[in-house]
Amino acid sequence: MPPPSDIVKVAIEWPGANAQLIEIDQKKPLSSIVREVCDGWSLSGAEQFALRYADGPQLYITEQSRCDIKNGTILRLAISPARAARQLLERIQSHGIDARLEALKELAKLSADPTFAAEFITMEGIGTLARLVESGTHFGEMLAFTLTAFLELMDHGIVSWDLLSLSFIKQIAGYVNQPMVDVSILQRSLAILESMVLNSHSLYHRVAQEITVGQLIGHLQVSNQEIQTYAIALINALFLKAPEDRRQEMASTLAQKHLRSIILNHIIRGNRPIKAEMAHQLYVLQVLTFNLLEERMMTKMDPNDQAQRDIIFELRRIAFDGENDTAGTEKRKAMYTKDYKMLGFTNHVNPAMDFTQTPPGMLALDNMLYLAKLHQDTYIRIVLENSSREDKHECPFGRCAIELTRMLCEILQVGELPNEGCNDYHPMFFTHDRAWEEFFCVCIQLLNKTWKEMRATAEDFNKVMQVVREQITRALAMKPASLDQLKSKLRSLSYSEILRLRQTERMSQDDFQSPPIIELRERIQPEILELIKQQRLNRLCEGSCFRKLGNRRRQEKFWFCRLSLNHKVLHYGDLDESPQGEVPFELLSDKIHVSDIKSVVTGKDCPHMKEKSALKQNKEVLELAFSVFYDPDETLNFVAPNKYEYCIWTDGLCALLGREMGSDLTRSDLDTLINMEMKLRLLDLENITIPEAPPPVPKEPSSYNFTYNYS
């Protein structure tokens, strides 16, 4: 007979004594259990003790978390969080250097525990640490552990960052501005300043006054990638939180300090592979840089503004050399109309009206002027080549440039906030000071080339733009290292190659549409769908690593979740670092019984998406979010690392609950597996027909059995 569900068998350790093997009755108060354990070792003052996990993060066990204890868990009797906090606070304030150092070491470790952190903070512990920093008397290891503990305690979100004094900020900024400082101290100082900027509007202004961009850029030229990552993260935070009127000014300062070339030479082209967090910070910097274009993108042209109209005159003059300027007013007006038509504007009489729609607004005109002035030969060739054609196949330069600018803004998500989990930076955008404009110049030449390859007319405009979008997105996916490499990849993606790729992908998705194949597809679909369900459940048993939400510091925090082999329990728990393989069940301290799961929700219906700030509540994160609701009224919240893991987990959870799987990945899997199975069967069956009265189904050949593994 199995033991009652309220009874958990555990081992409890105490230094210098034999472990106790006891049965914990989850219905009894935790204090009673601690008292019984203390009595077993003849320890008095049971209220001064508590239980902690012996392995992993070694967190304290509370009344709220005790339900997560599993059979066979090893626990440890320890002094209570309040007593530990009081003792450490006293030792930190002692006069003995060695005692203080050991206390700070232990504090740095214990501060990750939320139960201990709450007790320590209640005793004004953060104020004590802040005063130690402000005093300026701590150096080396002692200062590093002080900053580590401070950062861990603040990360729990119990107290506001606004409580920090100006003296503390100046001291932390001083460590960053010092030419020679210990690496560990510099890392923590940069992380603290970044958290200040991201968590407090008032602290942003104070930090911005204390930290020079030039000093931060200096930290990018070191050989330590961790320091480089922290420095870029702080630059990004200052950039992100800067008022609108200061962002352009800050961008100009960064340009003067050659930030782009330093990143290119010391990071992107450095001797070390770029880690995930560095890739994320480069992506954030790329997004914030492109977002500087948003103002021009959303600015309409004023047809009555002579300065703006002069830009259009300049485009006409460069293209046609202004030879007709000596003609009379009426004649010149007629010539201008003709020229504007040749330039490809939609409104030949007043082309300024073409730039009144946002996006792309004035940004399109900026791109056109850059091309005309910096790549004049290319500009004139495109305009004259098409304006001289009379076969209705001319490519309208003006209309194409405007629509292309809009398309590039969509592809690069100009004006959108960075996605917290994205690492999608493009090295080529760090190779040129005017990367956006140069990118446009490459793409407008591609558009003109594709137009000619398609022998398009005005009626084919949208079709051409669709092909060009596909060419650009496919080329960007290859991550060209420079604009020259981008040009090379675009040359290989000609219109004929796009057609070939489309045909190949179409054939791989759906080879045949004849009635016999449709019949065979319907016959084998249930079997294949069951195979997919099993594959999903197998992947859930292997488990996945998820990044913790709300962690604005650069130290990564992770947690792992996996399904038990009997498909009855979800095990999960925190990790110090991303695992390299499966995480044993013993290291996952929490669990949920599948029978207790009430529902699975996705996207904006998830509780953690409703609570997140605007920075995190963007489309990409919403598409990867899902939550498990379970009894009594608890939730387990996820944000998958990518779309594949999202589909695996949502499909697997639906399969556990006996519901229909519906993700894009499931449908793609289903089509792929059905096509593979049909191809195998067609090798054996030369002709498939559907007779009026179907004969008995013959036994399937053994060659039809196969295993499909997505791992």
Side-chain angles (χ1 to χ4, degrees), residues 686-700:
E686 296 181 359
N687 297 307
I688 296 180
T689 59
I690 304 178
E692 295 181 2
V697 179
K699 183 179 179 181
E700 302 293 341

Side-chain angles (χ1 to χ4, degrees), residues 461-599:
F461 184 85
N462 291 333
K463 294 180 182 178
V464 175
M465 297 307 297
Q466 290 174 4
V467 173
V468 171
R469 176 187 283 270
E470 187 171 347
Q471 290 171 314
I472 294 172
T473 53
R474 286 181 183 272
L476 288 177
M478 301 177 193
K479 293 298 177 69
S482 65
L483 289 166
D484 288 336
Q485 285 192 20
L486 173 67
K487 294 176 185 177
S488 175
K489 295 184 184 303
L490 289 174
R491 280 194 296 269
S492 67
L493 290 169
S494 62
Y495 175 56
S496 59
E497 177 64 12
I498 292 295
L499 290 179
R500 188 191 68 79
L501 291 172
R502 285 179 175 179
Q503 181 68 14
T504 302
E505 292 169 359
R506 188 179 301 116
M507 290 296 293
S508 66
Q509 294 174 1
D510 195 2
D511 288 337
F512 310 103
Q513 286 295 329
S514 62
I517 300 301
I518 294 175
E519 172 75 11
L520 180 58
R521 173 186 290 269
E522 292 175 354
R523 184 181 301 175
I524 64 178
Q525 180 167 331
E527 175 186 343
I528 300 300
L529 188 58
E530 183 60 31
L531 178 62
I532 294 174
K533 288 183 179 180
Q534 291 303 318
Q535 184 268 339
R536 297 293 194 266
L537 293 174
N538 289 341
R539 279 287 289 108
L540 262 61
C541 290
E542 295 174 8
S544 298
C545 180
F546 301 91
R547 196 155 68 91
K548 277 203 165 185
L549 284 180
N551 180 34
R552 295 180 180 271
R553 294 158 39 204
R554 299 281 63 81
Q555 294 99 330
E556 291 285 4
K557 295 256 180 158
F558 302 93
W559 67 289
F560 197 89
C561 186
R562 63 182 299 191
L563 179 67
S564 63
L565 299 180
N566 61 6
H567 298 175
K568 292 185 178 182
V569 181
L570 279 176
H571 296 270
Y572 63 98
D574 294 340
L575 301 176
D576 292 331
E577 57 185 15
S578 181
Q580 300 301 314
E582 290 187 10
V583 176
F585 290 108
E586 294 75 19
L587 297 182
L588 304 177
S589 57
D590 305 302
K591 67 181 178 181
I592 298 173
H593 291 280
V594 172
S595 59
D596 292 335
I597 296 178
K598 295 188 289 187
S599 63

